[in-house]
Amino acid sequence: MKSLSIARTGSDTTRPLVNNHPRTATPSARHTLALAAALCAAPAAWSQATAAAPAAQPPGVTLAAAPTERVVVTGNPLGGDELAQPASVLSGDRLTLRRAGTLGETLDGLPGVASTWFGPNASRPTIRGLDGDRVRLLDNAGAAIDASNLSFDHAVAIDPLVIERVEVLRGPASLLYGGNATGGVVNTIDNRIPQTALDGVGGRAELRFGGAASERAGSALVEGGQGGLNWHVDAFDRKTSDLRVPRFTPVEDGEPLAPSSHVRNSAAQSQGGAVGGSWADSDGYVGASLDSYRSDYGVTAEPDVLIRMQRERLALALERRLDGPFTNLSVRFGDTRYRHEEVEGTGEVGTTFKSTGQDLRVELRHAAVAGVQGVIGLQAESMRFSALGEEAFVPGTRTRSAALFALEETKLGPLTVSAGLRAEQTTVRSDGDAPDAEAPKFGDAMSRRFSPFSASLSALWPVGGGWSLSGVVGSTERAPAYYELYANGVHVATGAYERGDTSLGLEKSVHADLGLAWKAGADSFKANLFTMRFDRFISLEASGADIAVTGEDGAPEAVPEYVFRAVPARLWGVEIEGRKRLLDGAWQVDASAGLDLTRGVDRQTGQALPRIAPMRVSLGLEAAQGPWRMGAGVKRASAQERVPANDEPTAGYTLLNLWLTRETKLGPADALWFLKLENLGDELAYSAGSIATIRGLSPLPGRSASAGLRVSF
């Protein structure tokens, strides 16, 4: 563990809350076996179901579809391809070119989306200035359980190498996914449980080399089926070296270190794989998958610490078209086992974090009644968290939640109107200190219970000529996370003694979003204006006091105290993106542009909220001719000078990137070769989304070249 001589420039960590989704009863091992038995028995009754009109798209997920099929975003369980809520989707070549070592880095730069950037190994997405538990991460529409919400140096346990599609909903999606989707939702999708009947054998493989971290990575999957029975197998492996950056002077605890052209202790190695299977016909599917993920990566904040992470997840899924008053049933269940060890330079394990969780989601879509169609659903989750060792600043906890929700939609002339409600029950329990604790600090076991309620109203209005207007208003309530309630100890990653508040109540907010969109052929334009007002925004703020702790050398040290408090806050912003076809002949040439801006303020003090991305402007030019495609992009991030008193401004920067792809045949397989040149100006840049204690140690990547090959058969 690194010395605790921590500078006061530590971050004002506004750690979003966790609103673990509801549960009437925790999915126990007995429930798991019962559900598994039901799923296994389903194929026997499959042929007895009554067939009718073509199956509706399953609610809550996106079908693995051929390129010609309609795209349905996760946020619309009613199956439409239009949403009042702003959304972004990455798949195919676009995802291949953006794919990076972490989920946050892969999505950074999408409208309204940035990342926490704790070096190249731990980078979680942020949406509209909100991060942590206010951004809901989903794995195939199920809960993605890990420890990335607890600390910025904890990586997300999802590797972009295995993702086939990513969907991002910007703005509150709490109606469907709970209060910890206040900022938005990121859903990563693979085909580990095949959702349509496969005929024959197919697969994909991808190799990637180079980049600022000298990446050596590969992934492969093979899947097939016959007679409705389908199977899937995939595996991946990734190795990286310390990240190369423009030469800079690292700053640690306010003190400059020796100049360097690499980010220290940022190498990593990860691997994983999955097996899955399903039975599918024209009316739906039933299936299961089991995946495993391992990652060993350095912690930039601590030069001799390595994190050994592992995650196993069992997923069960069922989608079925029905007759009668209900037309579609969707059931998803997941059981996740997560563990990571923080290994000191001596080889000793300093701290071990464990999360074990189960999540269950059931949705029933009903037939239209008086022109109103809709979905009702149940969501239940349970998570057991523990931390053992010298850096454990949170006690063992148990979070259980259960929710009922409903979303209804109707047409009023050309206007599509949707309304929904969600009621939850959440219990967050602390185990307190162990009976044999040498230095008690968490007190006795205790429990808090919360009843969050959310409501939303949206409208979509096609006004003609390819134009449409959209609007969303709503209110969200979120239960405090376990660390916001019970933290009590030194958190090295944030450079502070963090203290929870067991008296915290619900975090409450109201929000509004207004959108304007236009599309005509290859040309498009989108603009969104949003605002969020919090009555009780749970923020980690400096108390002004110092806490005396014992350092590694046994000497006393003073660490600044930060306390979780509920403050009034407001966020607002604008997102604009557009695309224009310039040439449409032998060469196709398209220009694109985008701008996003988010402002956040503590209404009590007038200070800015921490770690908000600055205004960003992007310009792009793409050209395609035959099998060739090429493009150039410029991204300008303004200086971020709106920061809390305990933080420092971040300078602006401009990055220039180029890319080139060629499609070809390798025997019977389709191949895509790609080359990327990034940060051609080798500009030294820092992320305003990083906490202050890491920002001076980990600039953004320097000039680099990377290449790869993707093969499909």
Side-chain angles (χ1 to χ4, degrees):
M1 169 180 166
K2 132 175 157 173
S3 168
L4 295 178
S5 54
I6 301 167
R8 284 184 179 278
T9 55
S11 65
D12 178 36
T13 309
T14 313
R15 239 201 162 74
L17 325 286
V18 48
N19 183 311
N20 286 308
H21 293 279
R23 40 176 306 96
T24 341
T26 304
S28 63
R30 177 169 53 85
H31 296 135
T32 304
L33 292 173
L35 182 57
L39 291 177
C40 291
W46 211 254
S47 60
Q48 301 176 16
T50 305
Q57 295 280 31
V61 299
T62 299
L63 288 175
T68 56
E69 291 185 291
R70 206 167 74 168
V71 170
V72 181
V73 289
T74 299
N76 190 354
L78 298 177
D81 57 359
E82 292 184 299
L83 282 173
Q85 185 171 9
S88 299
V89 178
L90 288 178
S91 61
D93 293 355
R94 191 173 177 219
L95 176 58
T96 298
L97 288 171
R98 292 189 66 101
R99 210 185 303 270
T102 64
L103 186 60
E105 192 179 358
T106 298
L107 302 180
D108 189 11
L110 292 177
V113 184
S115 75
T116 55
W117 188 253
F118 199 98
N121 299 320
S123 186
R124 208 175 193 269
T126 68
I127 302 178
R128 293 180 168 180
L130 300 175
D131 57 13
D133 282 309
R134 293 190 183 95
V135 174
R136 179 68 159 158
L137 300 186
L138 300 177
D139 185 342
N140 293 290
I145 294 174
D146 54 30
S148 64
N149 58 343
L150 175 66
S151 181
F152 292 101
D153 61 332
H154 296 174
V156 175
I158 298 174
D159 196 295
L161 272 175
V162 301
I163 296 171
E164 295 186 7
R165 176 182 170 91
V166 186
E167 300 172 347
V168 180
L169 299 180
R170 306 193 302 275
S174 51
L175 177 65
L176 294 176
Y177 300 106
N180 57 339
T182 305
V185 170
V186 175
N187 187 26
T188 60
I189 299 169
D190 51 55
N191 197 40
R192 287 171 165 172
I193 302 178
Q195 299 176 0
T196 55
L198 303 176
D199 186 13
V201 177
R204 286 175 295 281
E206 186 171 321
L207 294 173
R208 311 176 70 91
F209 300 96
S214 300
E215 179 183 37
R216 293 86 70 197
S219 64
L221 73 85
V222 181
E223 57 191 11
Q226 187 174 11
L229 185 62
N230 312 290
W231 54 270
H232 173 106
V233 179
D234 69 56
F236 69 91
D237 186 85
R238 181 200 303 273
K239 295 181 177 66
T240 61
S241 304
D242 283 348
L243 184 71
R244 294 193 310 275
V245 297
R247 193 163 182 81
F248 76 116
T249 301
V251 177
E252 182 177 31
D253 298 340
E255 298 295 328
L257 305 178
S260 176
S261 57
H262 289 80
V263 173
R264 72 182 189 188
N265 197 25
S266 57
Q269 177 175 335
S270 60
Q271 57 278 139
V275 294
S278 70
W279 178 276
D281 66 8
S282 60
D283 286 328
Y285 72 95
V286 57
S289 69
L290 181 64
D291 70 77
S292 177
Y293 176 61
R294 301 284 189 277
S295 183
D296 297 345
Y297 62 93
V299 180
T300 300
E302 302 174 85
D304 60 349
V305 171
L306 174 76
I307 287 182
R308 292 197 303 235
M309 176 209 295
Q310 62 185 61
R311 187 200 78 160
E312 282 79 35
R313 176 174 170 82
L314 169 68
L316 306 173
L318 179 150
E319 304 277 358
R320 188 63 182 165
R321 187 191 172 283
L322 306 172
D323 284 330
F326 293 100
T327 61
N328 206 90
L329 168 67
S330 169
V331 180
R332 289 191 164 266
F333 174 80
D335 185 289
T336 303
R337 306 300 168 96
Y338 172 91
R339 173 191 180 102
H340 91 235
E341 299 173 333
E342 300 192 350
V343 184
E344 310 286 348
T346 61
E348 297 178 286
V349 176
T351 309
T352 299
F353 295 86
K354 296 180 182 180
S355 288
T356 302
Q358 297 82 36
D359 62 282
L360 173 67
R361 185 179 183 88
V362 180
E363 292 183 3
L364 272 171
R365 179 174 174 178
H366 68 76
V369 178
V372 178
Q373 63 171 335
V375 168
I376 60 174
L378 162 71
Q379 188 165 355
E381 292 186 15
S382 174
M383 187 183 74
R384 179 76 177 177
F385 170 83
S386 67
L388 302 173
E390 60 183 15
E391 292 185 19
F393 63 99
V394 179
T397 60
R398 181 74 174 266
T399 303
R400 297 182 177 184
S401 57
L404 293 173
F405 59 88
L407 176 65
E408 302 295 325
E409 179 181 280
T410 190
K411 289 276 192 180
L412 299 176
L415 199 67
T416 301
V417 179
S418 301
L421 300 172
R422 181 185 181 97
E424 304 185 35
Q425 287 289 329
T426 300
T427 301
V428 188
R429 176 180 173 82
S430 165
D431 293 340
D433 289 305
D436 57 350
E438 294 183 5
K441 59 181 177 180
F442 299 123
D444 297 331
M446 68 172 298
S447 182
R448 292 287 314 278
R449 177 171 292 182
F450 304 91
S451 300
F453 181 83
S454 299
S456 180
L457 177 67
S458 65
L460 184 64
W461 182 23
V463 294
W467 290 91
S468 64
L469 288 170
S470 61
V472 182
V473 295
S475 65
T476 297
E477 295 182 344
R478 180 182 72 84
Y482 60 95
Y483 50 83
E484 294 168 325
L485 293 169
Y486 304 122
N488 188 33
V490 176
H491 187 181
V492 174
T494 60
Y497 191 103
E498 295 186 8
R499 196 183 298 279
D501 183 352
T502 57
S503 68
L504 287 172
L506 291 170
E507 180 181 74
K508 297 184 177 182
S509 64
V510 294
H511 61 272
D513 198 300
L514 181 64
L516 174 66
W518 170 78
K519 185 170 178 58
D523 302 338
S524 63
F525 172 82
K526 294 180 181 179
N528 285 88
L529 180 66
F530 67 89
T531 181
M532 297 184 68
R533 185 182 179 91
F534 291 82
D535 287 335
R536 294 197 292 267
F537 184 86
I538 300 178
S539 175
L540 186 60
E541 299 190 339
S543 68
D546 286 337
I547 304 296
V549 299
T550 302
E552 288 186 329
D553 58 0
E557 297 181 11
V559 179
E561 181 188 49
Y562 278 64
V563 180
F564 285 102
R565 292 174 175 163
V567 301
R570 178 173 179 258
L571 290 102
W572 65 270
V574 62
E575 299 153 354
I576 302 173
E577 55 181 321
R579 190 175 184 88
K580 173 67 178 174
R581 174 67 51 87
L582 301 180
L583 291 176
D584 196 2
W587 281 88
Q588 286 186 345
V589 180
D590 294 276
S592 60
L595 177 149
D596 62 7
L597 170 69
T598 300
R599 293 282 186 259
V601 62
D602 180 332
R603 294 189 290 118
Q604 190 173 56
T605 64
Q607 291 192 43
L609 296 178
R611 302 183 313 281
I612 303 289
M615 184 178 74
R616 303 178 300 179
V617 178
S618 62
L619 299 173
L621 192 66
E622 298 180 18
Q625 196 277 329
W628 294 94
R629 295 183 65 86
M630 61 194 73
V634 177
K635 174 184 174 181
R636 172 63 187 174
S638 301
Q640 180 55 287
E641 298 177 344
R642 297 172 180 265
V643 296
N646 65 311
D647 202 349
E648 294 181 359
T650 304
Y653 58 85
T654 302
L655 304 180
L656 172 62
N657 303 319
L658 303 177
W659 57 267
L660 174 70
T661 69
R662 176 177 168 80
E663 295 178 345
T664 186
K665 282 282 190 180
L666 288 179
D670 297 320
L672 177 75
W673 301 88
F674 57 90
L675 171 67
K676 298 195 299 181
L677 306 175
E678 299 180 284
N679 192 4
L680 287 182
D682 202 30
E683 182 154 357
L684 180 62
Y686 294 90
S687 171
S690 297
I691 61 172
T693 49
I694 196 67
R695 193 178 301 142
L697 294 171
S698 184
L700 297 178
R703 181 190 295 122
S704 67
S706 61
L709 169 65
R710 189 189 71 202
V711 178
S712 303
F713 63 92

